[in-house]
Amino acid sequence: MLEWKDGQPFSSRFGDVYFSTESGLEETRHVFLQGNELTRRFAVLHDGDSFCIGETGFGTGLNFLCAWQLFEQTAPPGASLDFFSTERFPIDDEDLRAALALWPALAAQAEALLASWKRRVPGWNRWHFADGRVRMTLAMEDVAQALPQLQPASVDAWFLDGFAPARNPEMWNEAVLAAVARASHEGTTLATYTSTGWVRRSLQAAGFEVKRVPGYGRKWEMTCGQFFAHSPASGRRVMPRSALVVGGGLAGCAVANALAQRGIQVTLIESAAQLASAASGNPRGILHARFGAGMNTLHRFVLAAYGHALALLDAVLPVDGVHRAECGLLQLAATDSEAKRIGKLATQEWPPHLLQVVDAEHASALAGLTMSHGGMWFPAGGWVVPTEVCARLAQHPNITLRLNSEVTTLERTANGWRARGEGFAIEAQQAVVCSAHQAKQLAQFAALPLQPVRGQISVLPATAASGMLKAVLCAEGYCAPALDGEHVAGATSAFDDDARDVRAADHAENIARLSAHMPALYQALGGAMPLSGRAGVRCSVPGAMPLVGEVEPGLYCSLAHGTRGLLTAGLAAEIIAAQMCGTVPPLPQDLLDVLAPLPRMRRQG
Ligand code: SAM
């Protein structure tokens, strides 16, 4: 637990301070920045280069903010910084705000970190700062679990910063230092405030050459080190200059944006006359993270994607009540299976900013209408207009849009890939296919078990009574609060049906679910008939885990997001961008392995 002692943050759990009480800022600069010679190393980077810092304990983020500030002051504008850190006991928003308020010189960076901090989820978090030049990957889990998931030889400099080794030995043990070594390459440096003998010896045993140097303030000594590997560094990360993206739905727009933000010239190719014209074209979509207490790989992915989607939307589509509302979302325990799932989740501890278990009375107060069931409340849930998300993502000077262009073949060229269709051929160094089940038309993806899933939503006229609904309600179906006198309710789900006609039977199904699970809302709607509807065809695969990653050298895909594209498209795009540029991925390796398309394609073939 974080306590305040003499105006400084102190951990009662570990009996130690978060940073030096003399001057945390100067100590950080001395120990971690100078200890790793970052001023010099940032200055010699080139445009397109990336530098990766790994840290063992994030704490208040002071080290991160100092490194970010130095990077902006010294690195060339086209270089980027990856900062990877772990934190098993994240502090709450108020404590973080109070701790960072101690450093007025870092006020701008602190404000940005605080905005992302409220989107934190258990597990891995990926946030962007400084217009994308600084990428944070924060694993909110035990250091011993997180570090071995890093790519080998991926870190250039380490900040070893747990509490004092005697009080917090699990941050300094052999397994952790072995994972630090595994993620290091020839020339990777480390710095730590401690000069404890057994830590130094463990670092030596792990392959670091270490030396004692003067510490900061009253601390006589600290430790610096350099990794000596038997094999040389894995080589400079090389960022491609150009990429083509096939498919202008959420998945494709997100990939185009992630690549463009890294300075890659992107051609975004869409067969229809506008972006988001297929499954991503519903008038409103809901931000709905559904997972169970077992937290299988799909659930872990969904949770990470939810946190990422909220932070991404904050950057591209801030809440405006017109294109996006953060009205909160209720998952109602309205069926036996939902009651069971929610009951199990209720036995676990969740950060209240993420989810809260509520009874029917509390649910009613949150919803603005009487609820017959309690459930789970997601305060940051809400709705967005997916077409607007796509439009904002695609609006980037490095993205060239090519509409009305159906790609029928993808072929390898001497320098990369060529996408061909009627009357056009577009070349780029890298290619990403994000065209849902249409990907099957391309030879490279023909064997994938992609399934079309038809889904119809219903637009219902609001009444004075239904207008009281304040939050998104979900059970087997969902209904969003009224906007311009209309609710959106959905959605049906029909596998292997790719027809897009709007059907009366599907409207009836959507309404029947409201009447069964949200009777007060159903009554408030007064039996009015749907004003309109829309059927979209989403793409899914058995097991529902999307296909994200490299398929052949330089050819990637982001496919099969099913009904979750609003959540998962952005995180999938980060995975692809990281793989393409050789930078830190936003998820642990075990999840990347499950998302990887290649093993699943081989199984099919
Ligand atoms: N770098 C921090 C800063 O700039 O404020 C200070 C880090 S503080 C000295 C050490 C941090 O390590 C604490 O936030 C603590 O919660 C975290 N920690 C302790 N044991 C951990 C573990 N086993 N796994 C991950 N984090 C841990």
Side-chain angles (χ1 to χ4, degrees):
M1 293 294 121
L2 187 142
E3 276 177 24
W4 288 86
K5 275 197 173 175
D6 304 326
Q8 304 278 338
F10 177 86
S11 167
S12 50
R13 187 191 308 267
F14 293 102
D16 199 0
V17 290
Y18 276 78
F19 35 70
S20 142
T21 40
E22 278 178 51
S23 168
L25 196 61
E26 287 314 314
E27 179 176 16
T28 282
R29 287 183 178 144
H30 176 84
V31 174
F32 298 106
L33 306 187
Q34 284 174 38
N36 281 297
E37 294 186 64
L38 292 186
T39 306
R40 177 187 64 76
R41 292 166 81 191
F42 286 167
V44 297
L45 293 172
H46 298 99
D47 284 340
D49 283 352
S50 62
F51 191 93
C52 177
I53 295 173
E55 183 187 54
T56 46
F58 186 74
T60 66
L62 174 62
N63 294 346
F64 166 59
L65 298 188
C66 286
W68 161 11
Q69 188 183 51
L70 181 69
F71 189 81
E72 284 205 283
Q73 287 164 351
T74 50
S80 64
L81 176 68
D82 267 293
F83 194 98
F84 178 87
S85 191
T86 83
E87 180 52 62
R88 171 138 179 238
F89 309 104
I91 63 179
D92 66 28
D93 300 63
E94 292 72 40
D95 284 335
L96 185 67
R97 179 170 291 284
L100 296 179
L102 295 170
W103 322 117
L106 296 167
Q109 287 88 346
E111 221 30 70
L113 176 61
L114 281 159
S116 298
W117 195 252
K118 66 175 198 228
R119 303 315 192 181
R120 70 194 178 280
V121 291
W124 286 39
N125 294 265
R126 162 63 60 98
W127 301 321
H128 289 245
F129 300 102
D131 294 328
R133 270 184 86 197
V134 176
R135 291 177 293 271
M136 154 67 71
T137 311
L138 183 48
M140 299 223 175
E141 61 194 17
D142 196 279
V143 67
Q145 189 183 343
L147 288 191
Q149 298 286 337
L150 276 176
Q151 317 288 302
S154 56
V155 174
D156 301 311
W158 285 100
F159 296 179
L160 301 186
D161 194 12
F163 290 117
R167 297 174 187 272
N168 191 192
E170 58 280 17
M171 283 292 260
W172 306 91
N173 66 30
E174 268 174 37
V176 168
L177 298 184
V180 165
R182 183 179 164 275
S184 300
H185 55 75
E186 176 92 49
T188 293
T189 59
L190 70 83
T192 174
Y193 65 87
T194 185
S195 58
T196 304
W198 64 264
V199 171
R200 270 203 333 275
R201 287 189 292 279
S202 302
L203 283 168
Q204 282 166 335
F208 285 91
E209 185 158 285
V210 294
K211 59 177 189 237
R212 286 188 243 199
V213 297
Y216 181 77
R218 276 176 291 167
K219 288 190 184 129
W220 282 98
E221 287 182 326
M222 57 172 271
T223 304
C224 291
Q226 189 160 2
F227 193 65
F228 283 92
H230 300 298
S231 52
S234 54
R236 229 180 107 210
R237 299 168 190 111
V238 184
M239 203 183 65
R241 283 188 304 281
S242 63
L244 61 89
V245 177
V246 181
L250 280 162
C253 291
V255 167
N257 184 274
L259 300 181
Q261 204 185 48
R262 281 163 172 81
I264 299 171
Q265 295 299 318
V266 181
T267 310
L268 176 57
I269 313 170
E270 164 58 44
S271 56
Q274 55 198 4
L275 293 174
S277 49
S280 310
N282 280 344
R284 281 192 281 164
I286 58 170
L287 292 168
H288 182 200
R290 203 172 170 284
F291 44 81
M295 274 291 158
N296 63 24
T297 45
L298 179 62
H299 296 162
R300 286 169 58 210
F301 175 61
V302 166
L303 185 55
Y306 178 63
H308 178 267
L310 292 172
L312 176 67
L313 286 170
D314 289 342
V316 298
L317 183 55
V319 171
D320 62 3
V322 179
H323 302 106
R324 178 181 172 205
E326 193 167 311
C327 52
L329 177 146
L330 265 171
Q331 287 178 6
L332 297 166
T335 62
D336 287 348
S337 63
E338 279 299 87
K340 218 165 135 190
R341 179 179 71 89
I342 291 169
K344 281 192 191 155
L345 281 164
T347 64
Q348 301 176 344
E349 220 177 287
W350 295 95
H353 74 276
L354 173 65
L355 73 87
Q356 296 159 27
V357 177
V358 292
D359 61 16
E361 195 184 335
H362 193 175
S364 305
L366 293 165
L369 286 173
T370 305
M371 294 291 111
S372 345
H373 305 90
M376 282 196 312
W377 169 244
F378 286 76
W383 55 260
V384 295
V385 177
T387 48
E388 190 63 22
V389 180
C390 287
R392 305 261 180 124
L393 288 168
Q395 215 171 65
H396 192 288
N398 292 342
I399 299 177
T400 306
L401 196 54
R402 174 124 203 175
L403 298 169
N404 300 306
S405 304
E406 184 174 352
V407 176
T408 50
T409 51
L410 259 185
E411 56 206 21
R412 208 191 273 282
T413 65
N415 302 317
W417 290 88
R418 183 185 299 121
R420 272 185 197 283
E422 212 180 301
F424 72 91
I426 296 166
E427 287 187 40
Q429 285 179 338
Q430 314 265 320
V432 192
V433 171
C434 310
S435 47
H437 51 275
Q438 284 179 13
K440 276 179 94 86
Q441 292 159 12
L442 303 171
Q444 292 88 345
F445 298 89
L448 282 178
L450 301 175
Q451 262 179 311
V453 186
R454 179 191 143 86
Q456 181 176 313
I457 53 107
S458 305
V459 177
L460 302 167
T463 61
S466 77
M468 302 303 283
L469 180 66
K470 291 191 286 191
V472 178
L473 300 183
C474 296
E476 272 169 1
Y478 68 83
C479 186
L483 174 71
D484 295 335
E486 295 176 356
H487 296 277
V488 173
T492 59
S493 183
F495 278 81
D496 291 321
D497 185 345
D498 62 3
R500 295 183 55 182
D501 55 313
V502 173
R503 299 174 190 166
D506 286 22
H507 280 320
E509 194 182 321
N510 284 333
I511 291 168
R513 280 199 299 241
L514 301 190
S515 108
H517 304 141
M518 307 153 195
L521 172 64
Y522 176 74
Q523 275 169 18
L525 286 165
M529 292 309 289
L531 296 167
S532 62
R534 185 176 187 280
V537 182
R538 312 106 164 196
C539 167
S540 188
V541 274
M545 197 75 174
L547 296 151
V548 183
E550 198 168 25
V551 175
E552 285 181 39
L555 176 61
Y556 299 77
C557 71
S558 171
L559 296 167
H561 292 278
T563 54
R564 301 185 184 85
L566 262 178
L567 296 192
T568 57
L571 190 55
E574 278 297 302
I575 294 172
I576 289 170
Q579 290 179 346
M580 217 182 251
C581 300
T583 54
V584 180
L587 286 178
Q589 188 60 45
D590 66 331
L591 281 185
L592 298 179
D593 290 344
V594 187
L595 290 159
L598 210 49
R600 287 191 270 173
M601 289 168 96
R602 289 211 181 102
R603 278 203 290 278
Q604 287 298 312

